[in-house]
Amino acid sequence: MGGPVGAVATVGVLALQGAFAAHVDLLTELGATARLVKTPEQLAGVDALVMPGGESTTMSKLLVSSGLFDAIDTRLRAGMPAFGTCAGMILLATEVLDGRPDQRSLAAIDIAVRRNGYGRQVDSFETELDVAGAPFHGVFIRAPKLERLGPGVEVLAEHDGVPVLARQGAVTVASFHPELSGDPRLHAQFLDHLYQRS
Ligand code: GLN
């Protein structure tokens, strides 16, 4: 799979449902070309994919009906970098502990997640996280909780002893919404990783 052309990566943002607009703004601010992805044809034109927050059960249905589930699966297996936040993390997980019976996930990172592990909408919260020694404001909205990590998964941040930011190979996942705190550092890290691979 080709890397980004020249110095600018084309990053797709899955836009079937949910909080995709803020991701587009941050990626654009960082100098990447951000493209909304709603079809397999649009996926074919991107170097990497951000999977946003929203409702993973709805996104799962739309991924299947649009033909994107299989297309993304194929790209992930070929090494496409992906960044999943909140519902996006659920969709990338190996195992969804409280998923709907027909809910599918891409098994691109060896984690088990509990979809509403931090409670319901009213239990949403914000907190300061420590990411590589620097504070990062974490916005948790009906956040999924990581309950099991495979040996190949690296923990990049924790909250109360539970991993909330993790990476395995080219796939990074966050329980929280880094696009909502107006802080571009995690997106910048994702782009750096992408440039290093090209
Ligand atoms: N818990 C939600 C789900 O199951 C995700 C919440 C979010 O993305 N803000 O999809």
Side-chain angles (χ1 to χ4, degrees):
M1 209 55 61
V5 178
V8 178
T10 300
V11 180
V13 180
L14 184 68
L16 295 173
Q17 188 265 341
F20 52 84
H23 283 289
V24 171
D25 292 347
L26 274 186
L27 292 164
T28 307
E29 193 181 303
L30 288 166
T33 302
R35 291 223 188 110
L36 298 183
V37 171
K38 299 181 185 190
T39 64
E41 294 70 31
Q42 290 166 337
L43 180 74
V46 304
D47 303 308
L49 185 66
V50 171
M51 301 184 65
E55 178 48 55
S56 60
T57 54
T58 308
M59 271 195 241
S60 165
K61 279 194 194 118
L62 295 172
L63 280 170
V64 173
S65 62
S66 64
L68 268 172
F69 189 93
D70 289 340
I72 293 173
D73 185 49
T74 303
R75 287 289 308 272
L76 288 169
R77 283 178 211 297
M80 175 181 69
F83 186 16
T85 63
C86 209
M89 167 165 117
I90 299 168
L91 291 166
L92 287 164
T94 314
E95 193 184 355
V96 183
L97 297 167
D98 54 347
R100 295 262 175 89
D102 62 343
Q103 180 166 0
R104 294 183 65 190
S105 66
L106 291 152
I109 178 165
D110 187 12
I111 54 172
V113 295
R114 193 166 295 282
R115 272 179 57 219
N116 294 311
Y118 285 98
R120 308 182 66 81
Q121 191 78 22
V122 289
D123 303 309
S124 297
F125 62 99
E126 301 189 18
T127 187
E128 293 309 316
L129 302 168
D130 179 328
V131 180
F136 193 96
H137 191 71
V139 180
F140 291 75
I141 305 170
R142 282 189 307 127
K145 199 174 230 173
L146 262 168
E147 295 204 0
R148 182 190 61 75
L149 281 87
V153 181
E154 187 187 350
V155 175
L156 305 175
E158 291 182 348
H159 172 63
D160 282 349
V162 178
V164 293
L165 179 66
R167 179 165 62 207
Q168 182 174 24
V171 176
T172 307
V173 292
S175 297
F176 53 99
H177 283 259
E179 81 286 5
L180 292 184
S181 49
D183 186 332
R185 282 175 298 154
L186 294 187
H187 290 73
Q189 232 174 60
F190 180 61
L191 291 177
D192 283 350
H193 199 64
L194 187 58
Y195 290 128
Q196 277 159 25
R197 292 164 52 91
S198 62

